[in-house]
Amino acid sequence: MVELDKTNFDSEVINYTDKPVFVDFWGDKCEICKQLMPGVHGLEEKFSDKIKFASLNIGGARRVAIGQKVLGLPTMKIYNGGECVKTITPDKVSSLEDIENFIKEYYETL
């Protein structure tokens, strides 16, 4: 999983065109983010043939998160061709299964 920050977000996500990019937006104070993280890393093994996986700790990149309209944590987004094409927000994330289904819905269209 690519670790994103404010210096590489554009090159690794917005300007990346080889395949879609899944971004896990998380924070140090978000307990559910930290609980889900090992499972999210596991999903990379399942879907990395068609989707690149990355994560952004918003602690050092608040402006990036605000610019991407991340209003709560955990938020996950899928980008394709520099555009956000799918988002799952905190109110829809209660388990790893929710995240896997979110990815599958998009993955199966590729």
Side-chain angles (χ1 to χ4, degrees):
M1 180 153 323
V2 176
E3 294 296 326
L4 300 171
D5 59 36
K6 60 188 173 189
T7 64
N8 70 354
F9 187 86
D10 283 354
S11 64
E12 294 288 348
V13 179
I14 303 301
N15 301 325
Y16 186 83
T17 57
D18 292 353
K19 56 186 174 181
V21 184
F22 169 90
V23 180
D24 177 11
F25 292 88
W26 66 281
D28 293 321
K29 295 179 182 170
C30 174
E31 291 305 317
I32 190 165
C33 296
K34 292 190 275 187
Q35 290 169 5
L36 292 170
M37 195 172 293
V40 172
H41 282 259
L43 293 175
E44 180 178 16
E45 294 171 21
K46 266 188 177 177
F47 301 108
S48 65
D49 61 320
K50 292 185 185 175
I51 299 175
K52 174 181 171 179
F53 279 69
S55 73
L56 177 72
N57 181 342
I58 68 159
R62 292 203 188 284
R63 288 186 181 185
V64 172
I66 292 167
Q68 296 304 309
K69 298 178 177 62
V70 174
L71 303 175
L73 298 176
T75 293
M76 286 105 182
K77 293 179 175 269
I78 297 175
Y79 295 81
N80 195 356
E83 299 291 321
C84 178
V85 293
K86 194 161 180 61
T87 302
I88 188 168
T89 53
D91 58 320
K92 304 276 193 279
V93 177
S94 60
S95 69
L96 185 62
E97 185 178 358
D98 295 333
I99 299 165
E100 184 169 3
N101 289 336
F102 164 74
I103 294 170
K104 276 183 184 175
E105 283 176 23
Y106 188 75
Y107 181 86
E108 290 170 0
T109 68
L110 298 174

